[in-house]
Each structure stands twice: as C-alpha cells, then as structure tokens.
Amino acid sequence: MKQREFEVLIGPDGTVEVQVRGFKGPGCLEVAKWFERVVGELQSQQLTSEFYDPQEQVQYRIDQRH
Amino acid sequence: MSCVCILTPVVIAAWPALSATVVAAATSMGYTIVKGAQDIAETLEESDTAAKSVEMEIANSQVVTERLGRDQKIIVARDGVTITFARDARGRASLCVAGEGTEAELRAHGQALSQRVVQQYVYDKLKHELQARQYLVVEEELDENRAIRIKVRHWEN
C-alpha cells in the first residue's frame, strides 16, 4: 500500500494551501482537483520534481501450486 | 512532495449551516449571540441609532435558502459593536456592522469576523469531506497567526 500525505493550511482569511506528498507523476493533480471541488477556486498550482517522475506501477505475482 | 496548490474559498451553504458557522466563529472571538425577540428588537434599535454603520458582504458566498428563510438574521455583539448577518437580495452573505467608532474601525471589526467565519466554514467542510473519504487526520494545530494546519494521511492499494 502506498502512503499518501497532504498538509493543509487554512489561513486566517480562509485561503487554503495544500501540499500533496507521496505521488509520482500526475496522480497528485486528481487530489488537487478534489480539494478544488471541496474548497473553491484554484489560485495557483506549483508542480515539484516528483510530478515528472514516471508513474507508479503495481506488479502482482501469482504462483499456482498443484 | 508532488504539488502545492493555493485555493480561494467559495462559501455555499444553507442558512442553518451558515448561522451555525457564524455562531462558532463569533463566540471564538468573544462576541455574544443576541437571542430572543426583545433583545433583537432592542439591539436593532440601538444599531439604527448608532453613530455609524457599515454594510459589507462575504466575498464568493452564496446562501441557499428556502422562501421562509429569506428574512432570517443572526446578530452578535461585543464591546458596543453589533454585527448583523443576513442573506442579501443577490443571495450573498451580508453583514451590517454598527456601533461607535470610525468607519474604518467598524469595517475592521466586520472584516475580522467575516474572515473567521470563512475560515471556520472551510475547516468544517474539509473535516467533513476528509472523514467521508476515510482520510486520517494525524495532526492539527493552530499557529501563532491563527492559521489552522492539518496533516492528513491515507493509504492506497
């Protein structure tokens, strides 16, 4: 399981700053969209270097035993 | 870290929810809620005869209400300043600040309270939505600037 972490700062005037951690690739944008739906209008968005990393892939290995 | 975004809140609430938010925000700032028909009538009379009053509104707000709720008001008072919250004709949350003092002072009182109302609204809404998604709030603190810092964690498959 992947751990995701957000840090939300609600300023004294209600402005919200969200830092999304633990994502590689554009998955963080979905989280940003969710915050936008809940809070309001997006003022600015800054992507960090992890955003440009390849997206995570999950591999399953299934062994069949007879 | 993957991204940082800054959002301007939009307040869309039904009157009962907004009034509960106003009560929570106002009491946290030391205001008392004016209750009862007699007290409200006296307070409104005092406001009418007050030296000054300032009309303001909460930006990006919309009060959703039924026809019966259109004339509802909530009045709070502190140190001779009375602030009346209501829904204006355009459906926005408006406030009238009345009392002694300059127009700038009254506006400052109104701005401080309306900002606290917006902060309280955002806090309540975020907590509710995070809980609905079963996100875990692992840390929460109020810093020296009265900003609320919330750390949220969850796990995905």
Side-chain angles (χ1 to χ4, degrees), chain B residues 56-114:
Chain B
M56 301 170 72
E57 66 179 24
I58 297 178
N60 297 324
S61 69
Q62 190 187 342
V63 184
V64 184
T65 187
E66 297 290 327
R67 192 184 183 90
L68 287 172
R70 282 186 183 164
D71 295 327
Q72 282 179 311
K73 285 183 167 71
I74 186 160
I75 304 168
V76 299
R78 187 188 71 182
D79 301 333
V81 174
T82 301
I83 304 182
T84 306
F85 279 84
R87 177 184 186 271
D88 70 13
R90 290 177 301 164
R92 292 190 172 185
S94 68
L95 53 156
C96 175
V97 190
E100 297 297 325
T102 64
E103 191 178 319
E105 285 168 341
L106 294 178
R107 195 167 287 280
H109 285 299
Q111 191 163 5
L113 181 54
S114 64

Side-chain angles (χ1 to χ4, degrees), chain B residues 6-75:
Chain B
I6 295 173
L7 302 142
T8 301
V10 174
V11 178
I12 301 174
W15 178 258
L18 183 71
S19 58
T21 305
V22 170
V23 168
T27 51
S28 76
M29 292 178 73
Y31 284 90
T32 54
I33 313 303
V34 181
K35 287 179 180 168
Q38 180 71 25
D39 287 346
I40 289 173
E42 283 173 11
T43 308
L44 288 174
E45 197 174 319
E46 281 170 20
S47 299
D48 288 345
T49 56
K52 279 198 173 58
S53 68
V54 175
E55 300 280 344
M56 301 170 72
E57 66 179 24
I58 297 178
N60 297 324
S61 69
Q62 190 187 342
V63 184
V64 184
T65 187
E66 297 290 327
R67 192 184 183 90
L68 287 172
R70 282 186 183 164
D71 295 327
Q72 282 179 311
K73 285 183 167 71
I74 186 160
I75 304 168

